[in-house]
Amino acid sequence: MIVANVANSGNDEFYTPDYAIDPIMKYIPEGSRIWCPFDTAESLFVKRFSGGIS
């Protein structure tokens, strides 16, 4: 089954919602360097890991 058909969106580009990042944050020590090589500055992962969104 293709995800785009299930979501009825017409494409396969989906984004991780902010609430799904919360459980990960407790496992990342403060001051850690996190690479997100395939994300843009608008990515919620980038924003959360850089302190842009808390």
Side-chain angles (χ1 to χ4, degrees), residues 31-48:
S32 294
R33 180 175 297 193
I34 310 219
W35 290 24
C36 297
F38 302 105
D39 288 297
T40 65
E42 288 77 36
S43 164
L44 289 178
F45 279 105
V46 173
K47 289 178 180 177
R48 289 294 299 275

Side-chain angles (χ1 to χ4, degrees), residues 2-3 5 9 11 20 23-24 28-29 35 37 43-45 49-50:
I2 298 174
V3 174
N5 291 341
S9 68
N11 70 45
I24 298 168
I28 301 173
W35 290 24
S43 164
L44 289 178
F45 279 105
F49 294 151
S50 67

